[in-house]
PDB file of all heavy atoms in Angstrom:
ATOM      1  N   MET A 110    -116.884 -97.550  30.071  1.00  0.00           N
ATOM      2  CA  MET A 110    -118.288 -97.116  30.026  1.00  0.00           C
ATOM      3  C   MET A 110    -118.786 -96.906  31.446  1.00  0.00           C
ATOM      4  O   MET A 110    -118.563 -97.744  32.314  1.00  0.00           O
ATOM      5  CB  MET A 110    -119.137 -98.181  29.311  1.00  0.00           C
ATOM      6  CG  MET A 110    -120.610 -97.807  29.257  1.00  0.00           C
ATOM      7  SD  MET A 110    -121.587 -99.033  28.358  1.00  0.00           S
ATOM      8  CE  MET A 110    -120.919 -98.833  26.733  1.00  0.00           C
ATOM      9  N   SER A 115    -123.961 -97.861  30.892  1.00  0.00           N
ATOM     10  CA  SER A 115    -124.235 -99.278  30.743  1.00  0.00           C
ATOM     11  C   SER A 115    -125.695 -99.571  31.024  1.00  0.00           C
ATOM     12  O   SER A 115    -126.342-100.372  30.346  1.00  0.00           O
ATOM     13  CB  SER A 115    -123.334-100.076  31.696  1.00  0.00           C
ATOM     14  OG  SER A 115    -121.982 -99.854  31.416  1.00  0.00           O
ATOM     15  N   PHE A 188    -143.036-101.647 -20.879  1.00  0.00           N
ATOM     16  CA  PHE A 188    -142.831-102.632 -19.788  1.00  0.00           C
ATOM     17  C   PHE A 188    -141.957-102.078 -18.672  1.00  0.00           C
ATOM     18  O   PHE A 188    -142.307-102.204 -17.491  1.00  0.00           O
ATOM     19  CB  PHE A 188    -142.200-103.913 -20.355  1.00  0.00           C
ATOM     20  CG  PHE A 188    -141.747-104.866 -19.280  1.00  0.00           C
ATOM     21  CD1 PHE A 188    -142.677-105.666 -18.625  1.00  0.00           C
ATOM     22  CD2 PHE A 188    -140.420-104.956 -18.927  1.00  0.00           C
ATOM     23  CE1 PHE A 188    -142.263-106.531 -17.616  1.00  0.00           C
ATOM     24  CE2 PHE A 188    -140.003-105.829 -17.918  1.00  0.00           C
ATOM     25  CZ  PHE A 188    -140.924-106.612 -17.271  1.00  0.00           C
ATOM     26  N   TYR A 206    -141.302-100.234   7.668  1.00  0.00           N
ATOM     27  CA  TYR A 206    -140.582-101.450   8.101  1.00  0.00           C
ATOM     28  C   TYR A 206    -139.091-101.284   7.919  1.00  0.00           C
ATOM     29  O   TYR A 206    -138.302-101.735   8.767  1.00  0.00           O
ATOM     30  CB  TYR A 206    -141.088-102.646   7.314  1.00  0.00           C
ATOM     31  CG  TYR A 206    -140.404-103.946   7.690  1.00  0.00           C
ATOM     32  CD1 TYR A 206    -140.765-104.618   8.849  1.00  0.00           C
ATOM     33  CD2 TYR A 206    -139.411-104.486   6.886  1.00  0.00           C
ATOM     34  CE1 TYR A 206    -140.140-105.807   9.203  1.00  0.00           C
ATOM     35  CE2 TYR A 206    -138.785-105.676   7.240  1.00  0.00           C
ATOM     36  CZ  TYR A 206    -139.143-106.324   8.390  1.00  0.00           C
ATOM     37  OH  TYR A 206    -138.523-107.499   8.741  1.00  0.00           O
ATOM     38  N   LEU A 237    -144.412 -86.906   7.534  1.00  0.00           N
ATOM     39  CA  LEU A 237    -144.184 -85.682   6.778  1.00  0.00           C
ATOM     40  C   LEU A 237    -143.727 -85.983   5.353  1.00  0.00           C
ATOM     41  O   LEU A 237    -144.103 -85.260   4.411  1.00  0.00           O
ATOM     42  CB  LEU A 237    -143.136 -84.820   7.490  1.00  0.00           C
ATOM     43  CG  LEU A 237    -143.605 -84.106   8.763  1.00  0.00           C
ATOM     44  CD1 LEU A 237    -142.439 -83.425   9.463  1.00  0.00           C
ATOM     45  CD2 LEU A 237    -144.678 -83.086   8.428  1.00  0.00           C
ATOM     46  N   GLY A 264    -149.916 -75.098 -32.765  1.00  0.00           N
ATOM     47  CA  GLY A 264    -149.424 -76.030 -33.779  1.00  0.00           C
ATOM     48  C   GLY A 264    -148.553 -77.130 -33.214  1.00  0.00           C
ATOM     49  O   GLY A 264    -148.081 -77.985 -33.976  1.00  0.00           O
ATOM     50  N   VAL A 265    -148.319 -77.128 -31.888  1.00  0.00           N
ATOM     51  CA  VAL A 265    -147.497 -78.160 -31.243  1.00  0.00           C
ATOM     52  C   VAL A 265    -148.433 -79.104 -30.495  1.00  0.00           C
ATOM     53  O   VAL A 265    -149.235 -78.664 -29.662  1.00  0.00           O
ATOM     54  CB  VAL A 265    -146.471 -77.548 -30.272  1.00  0.00           C
ATOM     55  CG1 VAL A 265    -145.719 -78.646 -29.528  1.00  0.00           C
ATOM     56  CG2 VAL A 265    -145.515 -76.640 -31.020  1.00  0.00           C
ATOM     57  N   ILE A 271    -143.928 -91.472 -21.658  1.00  0.00           N
ATOM     58  CA  ILE A 271    -144.229 -92.049 -20.347  1.00  0.00           C
ATOM     59  C   ILE A 271    -142.972 -92.178 -19.476  1.00  0.00           C
ATOM     60  O   ILE A 271    -143.036 -92.022 -18.253  1.00  0.00           O
ATOM     61  CB  ILE A 271    -144.926 -93.421 -20.509  1.00  0.00           C
ATOM     62  CG1 ILE A 271    -144.041 -94.402 -21.275  1.00  0.00           C
ATOM     63  CG2 ILE A 271    -146.271 -93.263 -21.189  1.00  0.00           C
ATOM     64  CD1 ILE A 271    -144.609 -95.805 -21.328  1.00  0.00           C
ATOM     65  N   ILE A 287    -138.708 -84.464   0.759  1.00  0.00           N
ATOM     66  CA  ILE A 287    -137.567 -84.004   1.567  1.00  0.00           C
ATOM     67  C   ILE A 287    -137.816 -82.599   2.114  1.00  0.00           C
ATOM     68  O   ILE A 287    -137.433 -82.288   3.252  1.00  0.00           O
ATOM     69  CB  ILE A 287    -136.288 -84.035   0.701  1.00  0.00           C
ATOM     70  CG1 ILE A 287    -135.934 -85.470   0.331  1.00  0.00           C
ATOM     71  CG2 ILE A 287    -135.119 -83.363   1.421  1.00  0.00           C
ATOM     72  CD1 ILE A 287    -134.774 -85.595  -0.620  1.00  0.00           C
ATOM     73  N   GLU A 290    -139.437 -82.350   5.395  1.00  0.00           N
ATOM     74  CA  GLU A 290    -138.666 -82.792   6.564  1.00  0.00           C
ATOM     75  C   GLU A 290    -137.990 -81.608   7.265  1.00  0.00           C
ATOM     76  O   GLU A 290    -137.261 -81.811   8.236  1.00  0.00           O
ATOM     77  CB  GLU A 290    -137.580 -83.774   6.123  1.00  0.00           C
ATOM     78  CG  GLU A 290    -138.087 -85.021   5.442  1.00  0.00           C
ATOM     79  CD  GLU A 290    -138.921 -85.903   6.367  1.00  0.00           C
ATOM     80  OE1 GLU A 290    -138.649 -85.892   7.584  1.00  0.00           O
ATOM     81  OE2 GLU A 290    -139.841 -86.570   5.878  1.00  0.00           O
ATOM     82  N   ALA A 370    -126.079 -77.679  55.305  1.00  0.00           N
ATOM     83  CA  ALA A 370    -124.704 -77.161  55.326  1.00  0.00           C
ATOM     84  C   ALA A 370    -124.125 -77.328  56.719  1.00  0.00           C
ATOM     85  O   ALA A 370    -124.850 -77.334  57.714  1.00  0.00           O
ATOM     86  CB  ALA A 370    -124.711 -75.689  54.925  1.00  0.00           C
ATOM     87  N   GLY A 404    -121.472 -70.232  51.881  1.00  0.00           N
ATOM     88  CA  GLY A 404    -122.247 -71.307  52.466  1.00  0.00           C
ATOM     89  C   GLY A 404    -121.423 -72.557  52.623  1.00  0.00           C
ATOM     90  O   GLY A 404    -121.925 -73.579  53.078  1.00  0.00           O
ATOM     91  N   GLU A 430    -102.614 -80.053  42.963  1.00  0.00           N
ATOM     92  CA  GLU A 430    -102.280 -79.294  44.182  1.00  0.00           C
ATOM     93  C   GLU A 430    -103.511 -78.572  44.708  1.00  0.00           C
ATOM     94  O   GLU A 430    -103.738 -78.529  45.932  1.00  0.00           O
ATOM     95  CB  GLU A 430    -101.146 -78.315  43.894  1.00  0.00           C
ATOM     96  CG  GLU A 430     -99.807 -78.968  43.589  1.00  0.00           C
ATOM     97  CD  GLU A 430     -99.715 -79.504  42.174  1.00  0.00           C
ATOM     98  OE1 GLU A 430    -100.656 -79.231  41.380  1.00  0.00           O
ATOM     99  OE2 GLU A 430     -98.731 -80.188  41.847  1.00  0.00           O
ATOM    100  N   PRO A 453    -116.914 -79.657  77.918  1.00  0.00           N
ATOM    101  CA  PRO A 453    -115.889 -80.115  78.872  1.00  0.00           C
ATOM    102  C   PRO A 453    -115.929 -81.617  79.083  1.00  0.00           C
ATOM    103  O   PRO A 453    -114.947 -82.208  79.475  1.00  0.00           O
ATOM    104  CB  PRO A 453    -116.232 -79.349  80.157  1.00  0.00           C
ATOM    105  CG  PRO A 453    -116.968 -78.139  79.687  1.00  0.00           C
ATOM    106  CD  PRO A 453    -117.715 -78.558  78.467  1.00  0.00           C
ATOM    107  N   ASP A 459    -111.686 -83.130  69.817  1.00  0.00           N
ATOM    108  CA  ASP A 459    -110.862 -82.495  68.784  1.00  0.00           C
ATOM    109  C   ASP A 459    -110.032 -83.528  68.037  1.00  0.00           C
ATOM    110  O   ASP A 459    -109.916 -83.486  66.813  1.00  0.00           O
ATOM    111  CB  ASP A 459    -109.951 -81.459  69.449  1.00  0.00           C
ATOM    112  CG  ASP A 459    -109.160 -80.663  68.435  1.00  0.00           C
ATOM    113  OD1 ASP A 459    -109.761 -80.107  67.506  1.00  0.00           O
ATOM    114  OD2 ASP A 459    -107.913 -80.628  68.569  1.00  0.00           O
ATOM    115  N   ILE A 476    -111.773 -89.100  44.919  1.00  0.00           N
ATOM    116  CA  ILE A 476    -111.980 -87.762  44.337  1.00  0.00           C
ATOM    117  C   ILE A 476    -110.706 -87.316  43.632  1.00  0.00           C
ATOM    118  O   ILE A 476    -110.749 -86.768  42.518  1.00  0.00           O
ATOM    119  CB  ILE A 476    -112.387 -86.757  45.437  1.00  0.00           C
ATOM    120  CG1 ILE A 476    -113.746 -87.151  46.030  1.00  0.00           C
ATOM    121  CG2 ILE A 476    -112.424 -85.351  44.880  1.00  0.00           C
ATOM    122  CD1 ILE A 476    -114.172 -86.289  47.184  1.00  0.00           C
ATOM    123  N   ARG A 482    -108.100 -88.371  36.323  1.00  0.00           N
ATOM    124  CA  ARG A 482    -108.645 -88.954  35.101  1.00  0.00           C
ATOM    125  C   ARG A 482    -109.258 -87.888  34.211  1.00  0.00           C
ATOM    126  O   ARG A 482    -109.158 -87.906  32.992  1.00  0.00           O
ATOM    127  CB  ARG A 482    -109.720 -89.996  35.450  1.00  0.00           C
ATOM    128  CG  ARG A 482    -109.214 -91.161  36.287  1.00  0.00           C
ATOM    129  CD  ARG A 482    -108.403 -92.156  35.507  1.00  0.00           C
ATOM    130  NE  ARG A 482    -107.884 -93.216  36.327  1.00  0.00           N
ATOM    131  CZ  ARG A 482    -108.558 -94.317  36.658  1.00  0.00           C
ATOM    132  NH1 ARG A 482    -109.792 -94.464  36.211  1.00  0.00           N
ATOM    133  NH2 ARG A 482    -108.030 -95.247  37.419  1.00  0.00           N
ATOM    134  N   ASP A 520    -118.200 -79.070  30.051  1.00  0.00           N
ATOM    135  CA  ASP A 520    -117.141 -79.341  29.071  1.00  0.00           C
ATOM    136  C   ASP A 520    -117.690 -80.039  27.846  1.00  0.00           C
ATOM    137  O   ASP A 520    -117.189 -79.897  26.759  1.00  0.00           O
ATOM    138  CB  ASP A 520    -116.028 -80.202  29.694  1.00  0.00           C
ATOM    139  CG  ASP A 520    -115.296 -79.438  30.797  1.00  0.00           C
ATOM    140  OD1 ASP A 520    -115.402 -78.189  30.797  1.00  0.00           O
ATOM    141  OD2 ASP A 520    -114.642 -80.092  31.618  1.00  0.00           O
TER     142      ASP A 520
END
Side-chain angles (χ1 to χ4, degrees):
M110 178 178 294
S115 300
F188 171 77
Y206 180 78
L237 286 173
V265 175
I271 60 173
I287 294 174
E290 301 295 329
E430 293 78 7
D459 185 54
I476 295 175
R482 300 284 177 84
D520 294 341

